[in-house]
Amino acid sequence: MSNSEPKISIQAVNADNWREVAKVSVSDAQTEFVATSTYYLALCCYSDWKPLAIYLGNKVIGFLMWGIDDDKSCWLGGILIDQKQQNKGYGRKAVEAAIELLQTQNGSKEFSLSYQPENIVARHLYQSIGFVETGEMEDDEIVARLELD
Ligand SMILES: CC(C)(COP(=O)(O)OP(=O)(O)OC[C@H]1O[C@@H](n2cnc3c(N)ncnc32)[C@H](O)[C@@H]1OP(=O)(O)O)[C@@H](O)C(=O)NCCC(=O)NCCS
């Protein structure tokens, strides 16, 4: 079996890669669900959100950010896979890799996120990873939470 297929990894956003992160874009139809990667990068400069780059091999293909909320859970947000790389299984691997990293790095065992009710791809993805809708809403978004053992 070949091991040459590029792997998904999560890496810090820094002076060397932020321009690549800023190029990550979604389709026009998806802009109703998320802001742009440049907006999220700016948000991370002026809030408690922390940015992470999603790599396929040595190429940036996506973005996500995280932050610990007052409820002590680790929130994931701004999850983007570039439109040219979607529906190839990378979003799933990236979210799973981010959870593993943040569990190892911060000891996080409770994760939370939110999404628009109409975002059926995101909803399906998060539910299949194990996120459970709690009935809470964050603005107009459904909140789902994951508790690890
Ligand atoms: C949501 C998003 C991060 C998912 O990443 P992705 O790499 O496209 O997703 P994956 O390829 O890992 O697929 C995850 C699941 O969704 C399904 N899926 C992905 N794209 C799909 C599409 N366009 N239509 C239907 N199903 C789709 C896959 O079949 C897979 O389901 P399965 O594992 O049961 O087969 C990505 O589509 C994206 O960036 N969307 C725009 C921004 C956004 O909405 N972000 C989430 C905000 S909460």
Side-chain angles (χ1 to χ4, degrees):
M1 194 170 84
S2 163
N3 280 333
S4 58
E5 200 176 308
K7 289 221 162 46
I8 290 291
S9 66
I10 305 293
Q11 297 182 33
V13 175
N14 56 36
D16 293 327
N17 66 9
W18 72 267
R19 290 176 181 80
E20 275 187 90
V21 174
K23 286 184 193 153
V24 170
S25 71
V26 300
S27 71
D28 288 348
Q30 292 169 331
T31 57
E32 69 175 288
F33 300 137
V34 284
T36 61
S37 57
T38 49
Y39 175 92
Y40 289 132
L41 283 171
L43 180 64
C44 289
C45 291
Y46 300 106
S47 71
D48 293 331
W49 286 106
K50 294 170 187 66
L52 291 170
I54 299 168
Y55 275 79
L56 177 65
N58 60 8
K59 188 173 171 333
V60 175
I61 62 153
F63 172 85
L64 62 81
M65 56 191 188
W66 67 274
I68 308 292
D69 198 6
D70 294 343
D71 64 6
K72 307 283 185 243
S73 92
C74 181
W75 280 75
L76 304 178
I79 301 170
L80 307 174
I81 296 290
D82 189 85
Q83 54 188 316
K84 296 191 204 76
Q85 301 290 351
Q86 289 179 12
N87 206 4
K88 299 178 180 178
Y90 300 147
R92 175 183 302 280
K93 286 188 179 148
V95 173
E96 289 172 347
I99 288 170
E100 195 178 324
L101 174 77
L102 294 165
Q103 186 184 13
T104 306
Q105 180 184 290
N106 303 341
S108 297
K109 289 197 175 299
E110 291 172 19
F111 291 85
S112 306
L113 43 71
S114 67
Y115 42 84
Q116 302 272 340
E118 301 79 21
N119 194 349
I120 50 166
V121 171
R123 193 173 194 175
H124 165 80
L125 169 61
Y126 303 142
Q127 286 187 355
S128 71
I129 287 173
F131 281 87
V132 176
E133 295 181 0
T134 58
E136 301 159 275
M137 297 291 288
E138 184 77 26
D139 298 324
D140 55 351
E141 297 199 338
I142 293 170
V143 173
R145 297 182 187 266
L146 171 72
E147 280 190 37
L148 304 177
D149 299 332

